[in-house]
Amino acid sequence: MIAIENVHKQFGALHVLKGVDLSVKKGEVLSMIGGSGSGKSTMLMCINGLEGILQGRITVDGVEVHAKATDLNKLRRRIGIVFQQWNAFPHLTVLENVTLAPRKVLGKSKEEAEAIAIEQLSHVGLKEKIGVFPSRLSGGQQQRMAIARALAMSPDYMLFDEVTSALDPQLVGEVLDTMRMLSKEGMTMIVVTHEMRFAREVSDRVAFFREGRIHEIGTPEQIFESPEKPETAAFLKSST
Amino acid sequence: MDYQFQWRPVLRSLPEMLWGALQTIEIAGLAMLLGTILAIFLALAKRSGKTYLSLPADMWIETARNTPALFQIYMLFFGLGSLGLQVGSYAALLLGITFNNAGYLAETFRGGFAAVPETQTRAARSLGMGAVQTQWHIVIPQMLRAVFHAMTNQMVWSVLMSSLGVIVGLTTDLTGVTQELNVVTYRTFEYFFVAACLYYLISKAFTLSARVVAWRLFRY
Amino acid sequence: MYFGGSFSWGDFLFLLSGAVTTLSITLLAVVIGTVLGVLFGLVRASAPGWIGNSLGAVLDVFRSVPLLIQLVLFNSFNSMLKLNWPTFTVGCICLGIYASAFCTEIVRSGVDAVPQTTRRAARSLGLSWRQELTSITLPIATRVVFPSWIGLTLGVMKDTALVLWIGIVELLRSSQIVTSRVQEPLLILGITGLIYFVMSFPIARLGNQLEKKWGTQ
């Protein structure tokens, strides 16, 4: 379980998170929606310690993320993250991209790591591409590779940060399909997204962020069909 | 033109000149190696944001880039000599080119580090890789590609600069050997023409082998 | 050992006159190098492949052989052909040709930086090849390569130090002459270095700033 309690964060004078409380259970799919600058992406970066926090507490299965004694590298093995800019390692082949972390971080042998990588790459439909360099892939393929790269560490949680925002419209579908598949397999996921239809379809719960807080949270039906707050309704209206 | 070319004595001294060429390669290579190591420290010192580190690094870099290489060699040869530190012509040349290489390469490396996006580090750290692993497997390989071309050029510069040793009295590198032969025979054109050919071959050998290495290394 | 006197005002003026020689050679060499460089560069950029490539290969020789050797060869040419040019002229011409080899590549990269579509658009408006070159390509290319051209000029200035080997008294040689009298090499070299620095650094900074400013557009 991921538990977030009263988290605050500041970038200089900018107060981006102003007390966020949230918990995500095993097997749950939570979507975070909201305007740009509402703090949802920053929240995601805090969960695996890529960003520090000013105040509050985030625990992942009881381990406090921002405690001094926490070994972040160890914690991050269990939390996969996929970024908006897919961040493929350009100097490594698709296979090497996926095997690097299992080998260097988990200490797996080359054969073991390659077996895992091939399994994950087949899973996201990239089995034919294992020998090529990322520059030869489309954006959608690179993003699916990034998902396979994160999955190869067999994480307990997957975080997705606007993974389709930088893609050409015709490539969005293949990435969403991959995520849909993961959610069906029972992966615990936190998804920051602008794809409202997708959020509605796959999420167990949807959180609407506004001005550094969770303004409203509930089931997709609740949020999309009968939002309690007028700002939620206004946001949904503007983004469809 | 009533000048009579005489190539035979030059051909006879070719082995000597080839030995000189070997010394040229040795000096240029050593100066490049030492210069690269120093340049990494200079680039890190400049990035550190601490004045007591970045100021001396800045002075080094700007002196190397804004004064002639020959001046830098003179400083080591004549300047240090007046402080009682007797530096031979070989050492003055080697250290002078090293100083120059380090200054130029430091700027190259600074640009190289900047050429690897911060997001690459993020992606690597998010997979649980440590800081050192991230530098070693992700940042440095990509930086190397960004600076490789500039490093090849600097290597050629290193070869060309090594010819300056003769001005502080070095007699064992290619130019030095050539000058020694010239002083005895006065066949200036012939000797220096052959020396020019050898320098051209050395420069091209470095450029071409760098291209092969780059082709092998940077397939992406 | 004490040969005669300490560093005097006269010595300083002597160094400055050396600096003037350095600047004169730089100026003449850069003018020669730029004129030839633009000419060769346009040939490199627009002539049929094999002409451009052979010109490139020839000029590459000047960039792959030490300038010192080129100076010696030029100087011995001068006496072999009984031209009896003063060494100053030899130095300027040799440095000028050397500079042109670098300038050619700078010009070529500038012309290459102008998008083909821009050039086509100009031609489709009815501009002739020459009109297009002078009113579209060259203005754009000049802006692109100006910082590298400044770099080349400063490079030539630093390389002028080598002409002392064929007997021209420029700044660095002047400093040695003064040293032979005053016997304080570190002080005099320090002052000499400072003069070089003052001549180079501000212009180098300007070049960097222009590069940053124009590079982002």
Side-chain angles (χ1 to χ4, degrees), chain B residues 149 153 204 211, chain C residues 33-34 36-45 51-64 97-113 141 144-146 148-149 152:
Chain B
H149 183 69
N153 282 343
K204 285 296 116 181
R211 209 170 288 170
Chain C
T34 306
L36 289 178
V38 170
L39 216 70
F40 294 155
L42 289 179
V43 173
R44 283 280 272 138
I51 297 180
N53 288 339
S54 5
L55 179 63
V58 171
L59 291 175
D60 182 50
V61 173
F62 292 93
R63 290 183 283 134
S64 312
I97 294 176
Y98 175 75
S100 78
F102 290 92
C103 194
T104 299
E105 291 312 306
I106 291 177
V107 171
R108 189 176 77 124
S109 72
V111 173
D112 285 350
V144 173
V145 301
F146 190 66
S148 333
W149 183 82
L152 172 65

Side-chain angles (χ1 to χ4, degrees), chain A residues 45 48 50-51 73 76-77 79-81 83 87-92 97 100-101 104-105 133 135 149-150 153, chain B residues 117 119-131 133 136-142 145 217-220:
Chain A
M45 299 297 155
N48 71 350
L50 282 175
E51 294 285 357
N73 293 335
R76 284 177 185 146
R77 293 172 198 178
I79 310 171
I81 184 164
F83 302 92
N87 298 336
F89 301 134
H91 60 302
L92 302 177
N97 257 277
L100 182 69
K104 302 300 167 190
V105 179
F133 285 102
S135 57
R149 190 170 71 182
M153 298 292 287
Chain B
T119 51
Q120 287 284 310
T121 310
R122 256 182 178 231
R125 297 306 299 271
S126 78
L127 289 167
M129 291 170 71
Q133 282 180 325
W136 185 246
H137 293 291
I138 304 300
V139 179
I140 290 177
Q142 292 185 59
R145 184 189 192 174
L217 229 50
F218 311 125
R219 294 281 186 95
Y220 55 100

Side-chain angles (χ1 to χ4, degrees), chain B residues 1 65-66 71 104 203-204, chain C residues 60 64 81 158 189 193 200:
Chain B
M1 189 171 83
R65 292 164 61 92
N66 288 293
F71 165 81
Y104 277 89
S203 301
K204 285 296 116 181
Chain C
D60 182 50
S64 312
L81 300 176
K158 284 175 274 171
L189 276 174
S200 164

Side-chain angles (χ1 to χ4, degrees), chain C residues 156-177:
Chain C
V156 170
M157 192 189 78
K158 284 175 274 171
D159 285 335
T160 56
L162 304 198
V163 301
L164 63 80
W165 187 244
I166 58 169
I168 301 175
V169 182
E170 41 60 74
L171 178 53
L172 195 56
R173 180 78 191 112
S174 308
S175 79
Q176 279 194 301
I177 294 172

Side-chain angles (χ1 to χ4, degrees), chain B residues 71-85 87, chain C residues 7 15 172 175-176 178-180 182-195:
Chain B
F71 165 81
Q72 292 155 26
I73 295 166
Y74 270 23
M75 269 307 242
L76 292 164
F77 190 70
F78 298 114
L80 288 188
S82 74
L83 290 180
L85 277 165
V87 182
Chain C
F7 187 68
L15 286 182
L172 195 56
S175 79
Q176 279 194 301
V178 174
T179 308
S180 67
V182 180
Q183 294 291 316
E184 282 193 73
L186 204 58
L187 170 73
I188 293 158
L189 276 174
I191 294 169
T192 306
L194 216 59
I195 298 176

Side-chain angles (χ1 to χ4, degrees), chain B residues 45-63:
Chain B
K46 248 193 121 159
R47 274 164 72 88
S48 71
K50 296 191 180 74
T51 315
Y52 66 91
L53 289 175
S54 67
L55 190 71
D58 255 330
M59 282 169 64
W60 182 322
I61 293 166
E62 295 305 341
T63 306

Side-chain angles (χ1 to χ4, degrees), chain A residues 102-173:
Chain A
R103 289 178 64 188
K104 302 300 167 190
V105 179
L106 302 180
K108 294 204 185 305
S109 72
K110 190 162 179 267
E111 292 72 28
E112 243 182 312
E114 281 179 357
I116 297 169
I118 290 169
E119 185 195 327
Q120 293 302 345
L121 284 166
S122 318
H123 206 51
V124 300
L126 285 176
K127 196 174 175 210
E128 279 72 42
K129 302 285 184 187
I130 57 172
V132 308
F133 285 102
S135 57
R136 305 286 290 277
L137 300 181
S138 72
Q141 289 170 329
Q142 292 201 42
Q143 195 59 295
R144 283 187 280 147
M145 184 198 79
I147 294 174
R149 190 170 71 182
L151 288 175
M153 298 292 287
S154 17
D156 299 324
Y157 304 93
M158 283 289 284
L159 314 179
F160 294 88
D161 182 22
E162 301 190 22
V163 292
T164 56
S165 314
L167 292 176
D168 291 336
Q170 72 271 20
L171 300 176
V172 169

Side-chain angles (χ1 to χ4, degrees), chain A residues 9-24:
Chain A
K9 170 149 188 79
Q10 248 172 322
F11 286 119
L14 196 68
H15 207 158
V16 272
L17 296 177
K18 300 176 189 166
V20 176
D21 290 285
L22 181 67
S23 65
V24 181

